[in-house]
Amino acid sequence: MEATPTLDPDLLDKVTNLAKRRGFIFQSAEIYGGFRSTYDYGPLGVNLLRNVKQAWWRAMVQTRVDIVGLDAAILGPPAIWAASGHLETFTDPLVDCLKCKERWREDKIDGVCPNCGSTQFTAPRAFNLMFKTQAGPVEGEGSTAYLRPETAQGIFTNFANVLSTVRKKPPFGIAQIGKSFRNEITPQNFVFRTREFEQMEMEYFVPPADAEEWYRYWIATRLAWYIDLGIPEAMLRLHEHAKEDLSHYSKGTTDVEFFFPWGFDELEGIANRGDYDLSQHAKHSGVALDYFDQSTGERYTPYVIEPAAGATRAMMAFLLSAYHEDLVEGETRTVLRLDWRLAPYQVAVLPLSKKPELESVSGEVLGILQPHYMCDYDVTQSIGRRYRRQDEVGTPFCVTVDFDTLSDRAVTVRDRDTTSQVRVPLEGLLTHLRKVTGEI
Ligand code: GAP
């Protein structure tokens, strides 16, 4: 593996500022002073986040015959979380600083209050991270509900439904993308750890004897996914958890870690969950959650291999690794070298001036490209400035419509990374872009 790259010490600030300034990520409820480490995804951020999720769905569902999708409810009854173990064990150790009264997660503060430097704390107590709410107008035990802290449990509770409706047999998987909620004691580092976030999880059900092999397979496959989408190999590493650090359900967990500005930290966890979840839900619900293999006459509870990724956390890693400053024509430019599949806009259509005849051809260009690519359209400022604005948000291609276009029916295509330009006839534009991206 290559040596770990050295990072610009201001990288986190620069990316955070860019995210705000260019409409990727806004502080939630900002006009009311912001709301507790909660974020909104702006016009560019929502495209990037969707593309991250789309790339995951494509790799995990669309291009496979052994995995199907699901979209389960966010609200759930306590029974689910009693069975899964979350009611009892999904806790963090909470301490109060005796001097300034701030509350902290004990395992994250190295014995010193980050606010006032005191070393005097209350004894730690277990703080459950689930958001509790009430379903319906009547308060009381019967109406208690929880926002899911992971998407995984909705997959286990639907195991029998899925098995009886699609013709799958182990090894097969169920994939889901969606919001999860955790009342984190110390949310931190921009969107790295927030209370509301999105997960991309897949539960892969396998014969118990094959679990180890599939566990290794999914570790390698998931690491390769990040590399394929442009994160340099040297910024990724695998971290296998020691036996004593494993979660209550896990027989083995390996994290894919990314080199964040504060050091290597978790991007995704791949766990061998054994038969813990299906057995627990079968026991608590009274519904059999097993598989009968007609070819061997054997009935068994499948083991589960789970690659569990954060969509919002992955988006942050893609932003951080794509951020570059380089010199173009003697000027420093900021450029996001995002893979074209992730870029918020794949193409920017830029008429050289606001003249109606140029805008009219530009409309034609948009008509060719918009069914295939997310396009931006910008008619303001000098063309050089417009290129820089597109570089800064990672747009891989700028298509410039100029006065020659009116006679030669050709446009200039500029490449974000090399800044090189080629003249391409309108009728071959789509094919040209598809070739450059490697689609054909
Ligand atoms: N079903 C297993 C599970 O949820 P996890 O390691 O707790 O495992 C999986 O979560 C992934 O979800 C993490 O690797 C991370 O990317 C993301 N994630 C977890 N908590 C998060 C938070 N508070 N904010 C943002 N992302 C989070």
Side-chain angles (χ1 to χ4, degrees), residues 278-289:
L278 291 181
S279 299
Q280 281 291 105
H281 285 299
K283 196 166 95 191
H284 282 247
S285 67
V287 176
L289 297 176

Side-chain angles (χ1 to χ4, degrees), residues 86 90 149-153 156 180-182 184 187 191-201 203 226 247 249 253 255-256 266-269 271 273 306-314:
H86 283 81
F90 196 57
E150 61 174 18
T151 58
Q153 298 305 321
F156 301 128
S180 293
F181 301 82
R182 297 181 189 180
E184 301 280 0
V191 295
F192 177 80
R193 180 174 293 109
T194 49
R195 297 198 170 102
E196 174 177 344
F197 55 97
E198 264 188 288
Q199 288 187 307
M200 310 183 287
E201 297 197 291
E203 311 301 325
Y226 293 100
S247 314
Y249 53 75
T253 298
D255 290 343
V256 177
E266 178 182 341
L267 200 50
E268 163 162 0
R273 299 179 71 119
E306 174 196 69
T312 36
R313 195 177 284 186

